[in-house]
């Protein structure tokens, strides 16, 4: 059978449960498996004689089996295998006295126990690796890794006969000699002492089983490429290499207790080929795994061939080799992604757009403003004007601090399109924000000096109003359209659309934006805006197909927001905070109170508010720890997760994160605040993502007018809500939010020129990571600085928006912040490649990888 990177795993594995477990990890093909990278590598295991053992310190030694005993476990179903070994010969080489130790294995399957006992029969030579413990005064290893050693492999290979003492096995009438894991003791010791990759695992499959499967795929690729498929019998055996294992159906033992080199995932007939310890033929593997990075670039950066890197990651000889391979594949991801970004930019320049040259209406609007534009606003407006005057589509990202005046810039751009006789659409993520934009922009562009048609289109409109808005857009008459997601509907048509403005770009999917741009004969200009701060280094590398503008200067009259971290357990400080808020309310101001959940009976670990709220609860741990904790909760609900019982993660690597206290809910906080004497006689309102559009509009109108003074809400208020009288915001469970989200929420106050405060209520322990994160936003109002910290603490997902885009990113190793230097080098290399070979006709593998990357949508991270 010919095996390639695109071969389905299901065609190679006979164990369907293992196939299903791998599929649950997203591993469908051999290529998927090889790019399922370990998240760390273990340190080499030390060689020690049994007399040199130290409890809790992993070690490896050679020994001989003296006694084997199978004991039924009466207290619970299953069996215990006890193997007594001594290390007389090995201890002699280390100049210490020999001793004995017990190897113990547990299983609910007699088949597995019989298989183990047959391998470790009395008199067998073995190499053992594991962590020693003491039980009843005797040294013990529980579920160690065991390799059997051929006592005389050279003679048997020469004769091809069955040696005395070997047990004969029969398949189809053919006698076969006993199969050993290693040809020599030295080889076996070298294998068990080598560093081991550790993979993210689940309760369905352990890291060790993942490792075994991937090594099997590498061998199949090598053998298939070398033309050694063999006859039908060998083909059946090879298929079983990664599919047949007697232990794989054993659900009674811990998932992470399976010995990694025990060959329990391979058939006895193929164990010698799989566990021989000989390095796979790199030349043959290269034929099956072609390199993506051109050889000229690989030589300049001293990178490994892709096949060699796969081998060094999944079967490393040293930790140095492992990290070299990671660096190679990290650069590969950078080159593919940056090539895709630059190609996207090239393709955009080849399409046609409406050239909007007439700027008279725009200039009239600027002259009518009752305030003076900042220098940054004037510069960005000029840049946009120059872009829109071209016959190819503008693609520009406008990043501005909260309250920096992005809306005015967007209106100026839209008026340039309208003045040239075309249509412009501004898409907002929520109806509340769309209606605010409609009211604000209508007032701006309709006065004594100008009259511009402004149309509102939302999903919550009455049918008659909606039809009227759609008809107005379909007429093609010059004007501005303010829309929500309704603009992505097939019923929305704007034949003369020249400009698309996306507000809060991270709230929209890639497919939605691209569908809107593809409606007309010509591609409209694109302006995407975000108040989510993005570090310049990250923006310049990831948003490579967009021209980038920054608005960092706040309009005159704005005062800095004072940020205070309030420990919730500090009752005196909490009372003082509420008293301060009551004073501001009595002065005619407003206050927001933000909670992560809607109801008190929701899952404490969930956001509680779906859809537009987009809240994410973050704890002190890393992304890996959160994933493991989620797996632990899931397995606990099924009554499984034996590996978690002793405090380890699903892959046996890290302790589980401690459960967090329940998140505060809107309903709970409203009750608490209304019962406080500080808020006696104060009118409260609530706003969540579950409220319908009419309710949201009414709540915001009452809050703006002063009918209600305190608005208790979820993160639905994160973007676009503009109430100048709001001077205080209280954010409960602030330690569970990302820093960029806190910065966004903080920006809801202080918009009217008054003194303003943001109170971050936290239950984080002093000196914890969560407390340190809050100190970042406590001491900084610089969005770029906060974003840099957020990226370092949380990764690129929330800040750059790829998690919101609905696209599964193909980037597995590249880190946006830490790998900026690598990305910059890859970008320069990609630029040079495309200059010399625009179609990549001389880099076919790179062209294919870029195409796969683009088809998967990952290249659109640049605008997501």
């Amino acid at each position: 059978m010919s095996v390639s990177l695109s071969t389905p795993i299901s065609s190679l594995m006979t164990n369907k449960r293992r196939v299903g477990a791998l599929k649950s990890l997203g591993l469908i093909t051999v290529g998927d498996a090889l790019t399922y990278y370990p998240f760390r590598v273990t340190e080499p295991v030390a060689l020690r004689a049994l007399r040199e053992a130290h409890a809790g310190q992993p070690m490896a030694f050679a020994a001989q089996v003296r006694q084997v005993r199978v004991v039924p476990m009466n207290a619970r179903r299953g069996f215990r295998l006890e193997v007594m070994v001594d290390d007389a010969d090995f201890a002699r080489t280390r100049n210490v006295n020999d001793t004995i130790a017990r190897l113990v294995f547990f299983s609910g399957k007699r088949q597995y126990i019989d298989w183990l006992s047959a391998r470790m029969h009395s008199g067998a030579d073995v190499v053992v690796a594991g962590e020693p413990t003491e039980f009843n005064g005797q040294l013990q290893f529980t579920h160690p890794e065991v390799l059997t050693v051929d006592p005389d492999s050279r003679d048997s290979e020469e004769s091809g006969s069955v040696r005395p003492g070997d047990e004969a096995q029969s398949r189809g009438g053919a006698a076969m000699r006993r199969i050993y894991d290693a040809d020599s003791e030295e080889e076996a010791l070298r294998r068990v002492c080598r560093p081991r990759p550790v993979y993210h695992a689940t309760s369905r499959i352990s890291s060790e089983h993942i490792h075994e499967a991937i090594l099997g795929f590498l061998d199949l690729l090598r053998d298939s490429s070398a033309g050694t498929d063999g006859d039908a019998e060998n083909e059946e055996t090879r298929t079983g290499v990664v599919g047949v294992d007697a232990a794989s159906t054993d659900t009674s033992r811990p998932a992470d207790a399976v010995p990694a080199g025990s060959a329990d995932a391979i058939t006895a007939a193929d164990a010698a080929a799989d566990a021989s310890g000989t390095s796979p033929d790199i030349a043959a593997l290269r034929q099956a795994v072609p390199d993506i990075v051109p050889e000229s670039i690989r030589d300049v950066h001293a990178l490994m061939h892709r096949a060699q890197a796969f081998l060094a990651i999944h079967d490393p000889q040293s930790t140095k080799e492992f990290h070299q391979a990671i660096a190679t594949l990290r650069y590969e991801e950078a080159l593919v992604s940056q090539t895709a970004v630059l190609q996207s930019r090239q393709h955009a320049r080849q399409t046609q757009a409406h050239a909007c040259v007439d700027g008279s209406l725009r200039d009239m609007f600027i002259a009518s403003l009752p305030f003076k534009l900042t220098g940054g606003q004037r510069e960005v407006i000029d840049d946009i004007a120059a872009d829109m005057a071209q016959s190819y589509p503008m693609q520009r990202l406008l990043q501005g601090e909260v309250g920096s005046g992005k809306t005015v810039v967007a209106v100026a751009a839209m008026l340039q399109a309208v003045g040239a006789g075309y249509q412009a659409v501004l898409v907002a993520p929520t109806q509340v924000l769309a209606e605010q934009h409609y009211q604000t922009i209508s007032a701006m562009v309709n006065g004594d000096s100008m009259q511009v048609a402004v149309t509102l289109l939302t999903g919550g409109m009455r049918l008659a109003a909606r039809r009227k808005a759609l008809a107005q857009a379909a007429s093609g008459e010059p004007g501005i359209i303010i829309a929500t997601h309704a603009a992505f509907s097939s019923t929305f048509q704007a034949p003369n659309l020249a400009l698309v403005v996306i507000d809060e770009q991270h709230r929209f999917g890639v497919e939605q934006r691209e569908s809107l741009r593809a409606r007309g004969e010509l591609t409209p200009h694109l302006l995407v805006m975000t108040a989510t701060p993005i570090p310049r280094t990250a923006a310049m590398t990831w948003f490579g197909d967009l021209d980038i503008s920054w608005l960092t200067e706040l309009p005159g009259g704005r005062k800095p927001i004072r940020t205070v971290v309030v420990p919730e357990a500090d009752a005196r400080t909490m009372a003082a905070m509420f008293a301060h808020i009551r004073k501001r309310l009595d002065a005619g101001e407003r206050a927001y109170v933000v909670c992560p959940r809607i109801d008190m009976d929701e899952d404490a670990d969930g956001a509680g508010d779906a859809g537009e709220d987009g809240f994410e609860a973050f704890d002190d741990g890393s992304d890996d720890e959160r994933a493991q904790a989620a797996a632990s909760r899931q397995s606990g609900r099924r009554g499984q997760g034996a590996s978690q019982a002793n405090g380890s993660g699903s892959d046996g690597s890290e302790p589980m994160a401690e459960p967090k206290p329940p998140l505060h809910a809107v309903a709970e906080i409203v009750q608490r605040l209304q019962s406080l004497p500080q808020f006696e006689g104060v009118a409260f309102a609530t706003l969540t993502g579950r409220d319908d559009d009419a309710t949201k509009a009414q709540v915001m109108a009452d809050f703006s007018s002063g009918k209600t003074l305190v608005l208790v809400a979820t993160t639905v208020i994160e973007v676009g809500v503009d109430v100048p009288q709001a001077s205080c915001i209280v954010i409960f469970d602030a330690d569970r939010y990302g820093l960029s989200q806190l910065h966004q929420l903080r920006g809801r106050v202080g918009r009217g020129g008054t003194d303003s405060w943001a109170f971050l209520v936290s239950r984080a322990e002093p000196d914890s990571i969560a407390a340190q994160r809050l100190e970042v936003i406590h001491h900084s109002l610089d969005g770029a600085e906060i974003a840099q910290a957020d990226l370092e603490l949380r990764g690129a997902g929330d800040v750059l928006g790829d998690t919101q885009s609905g696209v599964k990113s193909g980037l597995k190793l590249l880190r946006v912040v830490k790998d900026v230097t690598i990305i910059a080098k890859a970008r320069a290399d990609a630029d040079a490649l495309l200059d010399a070979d625009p179609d990549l006709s001389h880099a076919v593998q790179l062209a294919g990888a870029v195409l796969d990357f683009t088809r998967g949508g990952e290249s659109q991270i640049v605008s997501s």
Side-chain angles (χ1 to χ4, degrees), residues 485-733:
H485 291 73
F488 304 124
S489 169
S490 59
T491 59
F492 175 73
Q493 299 294 328
N496 288 324
L497 186 61
L499 174 65
V500 174
V501 180
I502 303 293
D503 194 14
E504 297 303 335
Q505 50 84 26
H506 66 284
R507 292 302 187 98
F508 296 96
V510 173
E511 295 81 2
Q512 292 174 317
R513 293 191 295 272
E514 292 305 308
S515 69
L516 186 57
R517 297 187 69 197
R519 293 290 172 83
E521 295 181 1
L522 300 182
T523 303
H525 301 285
L526 175 67
L527 174 65
V528 294
M529 303 191 301
T530 179
T532 302
I534 304 167
R536 288 176 179 256
T537 52
M540 292 173 68
T541 52
W542 283 111
F543 294 83
D545 69 335
L546 302 177
D547 296 307
I548 306 173
S549 297
W550 280 273
L551 284 178
T552 57
E553 183 181 356
L554 295 178
R558 289 288 180 90
K559 295 182 179 180
I561 302 171
R562 304 174 190 178
T563 305
V564 182
V565 178
V566 181
E568 188 171 350
D570 187 344
R572 178 176 297 180
T573 304
M574 290 284 289
M577 174 185 72
F578 292 136
H580 171 80
I581 293 174
R582 179 56 188 262
K583 291 180 181 179
R584 305 319 307 167
L585 298 179
D586 292 340
E589 298 169 8
R590 315 277 191 279
Y592 295 105
V593 178
V594 179
C595 305
R597 293 194 295 153
I598 301 176
D599 300 322
M600 290 179 282
D601 58 349
E602 292 166 358
D603 183 357
D605 295 302
D609 207 351
E612 62 198 23
D613 293 6
F615 169 77
E616 299 177 46
F618 289 89
D619 57 30
D620 297 355
S622 65
D623 291 337
D624 299 338
E625 292 167 342
R626 287 190 292 273
Q628 291 176 6
S632 175
R633 291 192 301 271
Q634 199 171 37
S635 62
R637 284 192 290 269
R638 300 191 194 104
Q640 299 175 356
S643 62
Q644 284 82 9
N646 58 9
S648 64
S650 57
D651 53 32
S653 59
E654 300 289 344
M656 285 297 165
E658 289 295 326
K660 297 293 177 182
L663 300 172
H664 288 300
V666 169
E668 166 206 358
I669 293 300
V670 166
Q671 292 178 7
R672 283 177 54 183
L673 296 183
Q674 288 178 331
S675 66
L676 293 176
Q678 293 95 327
F679 294 106
E680 185 178 355
V682 172
F684 284 79
T686 63
L687 184 66
T688 73
R690 291 183 188 171
D691 295 327
D692 57 41
D693 292 329
T695 300
K696 290 178 181 178
Q698 186 61 51
V699 168
M700 289 307 303
D702 291 344
F703 185 62
S704 297
S705 66
K707 185 176 181 179
T708 55
L709 299 180
V710 179
L711 179 60
V712 184
T714 59
T715 52
V716 69
I717 67 163
E718 179 184 351
V719 294
V721 175
D722 188 1
V723 179
Q725 297 87 354
S727 63
C728 296
I729 184 168
V730 179
I731 305 173
F732 280 91
D733 296 305

Side-chain angles (χ1 to χ4, degrees), residues 617-858:
F618 289 89
D619 57 30
D620 297 355
S622 65
D623 291 337
D624 299 338
E625 292 167 342
R626 287 190 292 273
Q628 291 176 6
S632 175
R633 291 192 301 271
Q634 199 171 37
S635 62
R637 284 192 290 269
R638 300 191 194 104
Q640 299 175 356
S643 62
Q644 284 82 9
N646 58 9
S648 64
S650 57
D651 53 32
S653 59
E654 300 289 344
M656 285 297 165
E658 289 295 326
K660 297 293 177 182
L663 300 172
H664 288 300
V666 169
E668 166 206 358
I669 293 300
V670 166
Q671 292 178 7
R672 283 177 54 183
L673 296 183
Q674 288 178 331
S675 66
L676 293 176
Q678 293 95 327
F679 294 106
E680 185 178 355
V682 172
F684 284 79
T686 63
L687 184 66
T688 73
R690 291 183 188 171
D691 295 327
D692 57 41
D693 292 329
T695 300
K696 290 178 181 178
Q698 186 61 51
V699 168
M700 289 307 303
D702 291 344
F703 185 62
S704 297
S705 66
K707 185 176 181 179
T708 55
L709 299 180
V710 179
L711 179 60
V712 184
T714 59
T715 52
V716 69
I717 67 163
E718 179 184 351
V719 294
V721 175
D722 188 1
V723 179
Q725 297 87 354
S727 63
C728 296
I729 184 168
V730 179
I731 305 173
F732 280 91
D733 296 305
D735 53 303
R736 307 287 288 276
Y737 291 81
L739 297 184
S740 292
Q741 193 172 29
L742 288 175
H743 184 61
Q744 282 274 72
L745 290 167
R746 178 171 60 181
R748 296 310 100 203
V749 298
R751 306 174 77 87
T754 60
D755 291 330
S756 54
W757 293 264
F759 299 99
L760 310 181
V761 180
S762 168
R763 288 184 281 189
E765 294 293 329
D767 299 325
S768 66
I769 297 176
Q772 294 172 23
R773 288 212 318 254
L774 291 181
E775 285 303 305
V776 173
I777 198 164
H778 175 208
H779 294 290
S780 178
L781 293 171
D782 186 337
E785 178 183 337
I786 293 168
Q788 184 75 26
D790 210 12
L791 276 172
E792 292 172 353
L793 292 165
R794 298 177 56 193
D798 181 68
V799 178
L800 298 186
D802 52 340
T803 55
Q804 289 93 340
S805 68
V807 175
K808 178 183 178 182
S809 175
L811 300 176
K812 300 179 180 180
L813 297 173
L814 204 60
R815 302 162 300 184
V816 174
V817 177
K818 295 182 180 179
D819 295 330
V820 163
T821 302
I822 296 175
I823 296 171
K825 290 179 181 178
R827 186 179 181 83
D829 290 337
D831 200 13
L833 274 175
L834 292 173
D835 282 345
D837 185 11
D839 297 327
L840 297 177
S841 56
H842 299 294
V844 178
Q845 295 300 329
L846 176 60
V850 170
L851 183 60
D852 291 341
F853 189 83
T854 305
R855 282 174 175 171
E858 288 86 353

Side-chain angles (χ1 to χ4, degrees), residues 368-416:
S368 68
L369 291 173
F371 52 84
K372 185 178 180 181
L373 296 177
T374 65
Q377 286 175 315
R378 288 194 299 269
E379 181 179 348
V380 173
I381 289 173
D382 290 341
D383 290 341
I384 292 174
D387 289 346
M388 293 181 63
Q390 304 297 325
S391 59
Y392 56 82
M394 169 185 73
Q395 294 190 115
R396 183 170 290 275
L397 168 68
L398 175 58
Q399 178 183 326
E401 282 286 358
V402 176
S404 60
K406 297 185 299 298
T407 302
V408 172
V409 173
V411 172
M414 290 189 290
L415 288 177
Q416 182 164 340

Side-chain angles (χ1 to χ4, degrees), residues 437-455:
H437 278 319
Y438 174 71
Q439 295 169 1
T440 302
I441 294 173
S442 295
M444 282 179 157
V445 301
N446 288 291
D448 296 336
S449 58
M450 70 178 78
Q451 292 290 326
V452 176
V454 182
T455 303

